[in-house]
Amino acid sequence: SSRSAINLTRMAVDDIASVLVAAGRDPDAARRAAELAMGSVGRALTLTPELIEDRDPLIAALEALRGSDPSEVYQQTTALVERTKQGRAGLEDFFQWTMQRIEAALEDDPGVESGPRGVAGTADPYRLLQRAERIRWTRDALDRNANAKLAIRDLLLDLENG
């Protein structure tokens, strides 16, 4: 029996950007996707400029919820429900952002940028794991046909309270 080794190491941002440019992406858009891809060409290929443009404001708004007034939580709940219905950046993107922040925090890798420009990329991995679990629970509830507005509101209230 023969076995082949597969190298699953992270690719450098410059290498990923080169692949994307060779595939026809604008160099600036390729660089941004490569920065967000956490070393994965496959992930970079899915990060279109439109998706990044839609994703960044969502993540920035959700990250800014801590200590917000209730009207802001309500507004973000409504926006996230609408995004989910429209198939735009939503809970899955927020979950991926959180997982990428966990990875960056555990590796203490300052060269990794996984979020919108201007949003902090590292935090306590334990708190981030709690957040990821809460997001996953909300996604599972939505898959079981839970009331989207209530499930997302509860998630955002949890995030807002720390």
Side-chain angles (χ1 to χ4, degrees):
S1 128
S2 69
R3 294 181 187 227
S4 297
I6 298 175
N7 185 357
L8 297 177
T9 60
R10 197 186 294 213
M11 284 184 68
V13 169
D14 290 339
D15 294 339
I16 295 171
S18 295
V19 169
L20 295 177
V21 169
R25 288 255 182 110
D26 169 75
D28 290 336
R31 179 88 186 160
R32 181 69 176 132
E35 291 170 347
L36 295 172
M38 299 289 293
S40 167
V41 173
R43 192 176 297 143
L45 289 168
T46 66
L47 290 168
T48 64
E50 297 79 17
L51 178 64
I52 293 169
E53 189 176 310
D54 190 39
R55 173 189 178 273
D56 283 356
L58 166 72
I59 291 171
L62 294 176
E63 288 291 339
L65 276 179
R66 180 162 286 129
S68 296
D69 65 49
S71 65
E72 180 65 21
V73 173
Y74 177 79
Q75 182 180 1
Q76 290 303 322
T77 299
T78 302
L80 197 48
V81 169
E82 287 304 311
R83 285 172 168 278
T84 301
K85 287 179 184 176
Q86 297 168 0
R88 293 175 50 205
L91 280 181
E92 180 60 29
D93 297 278
F94 193 52
F95 179 77
Q96 289 300 321
W97 153 247
T98 301
M99 296 305 292
Q100 291 167 353
R101 286 184 66 199
I102 291 167
E103 186 176 337
L106 291 174
E107 292 180 1
D108 195 29
D109 185 352
V112 172
E113 180 187 346
S114 58
R117 298 179 195 277
V119 174
T122 59
D124 175 26
Y126 178 74
R127 292 184 70 93
L128 290 170
L129 283 169
Q130 288 177 319
R131 172 192 281 188
E133 178 61 20
R134 184 62 178 90
I135 296 167
R136 188 191 60 74
W137 182 89
T138 300
R139 288 178 26 212
D140 290 347
L142 294 175
D143 288 344
R144 292 187 311 270
N145 293 321
N147 181 304
K149 194 158 197 165
L150 293 177
I152 291 172
R153 183 208 61 199
D154 290 349
L155 167 67
L156 296 183
L157 285 172
D158 285 352
L159 297 178
E160 187 262 341
N161 290 322

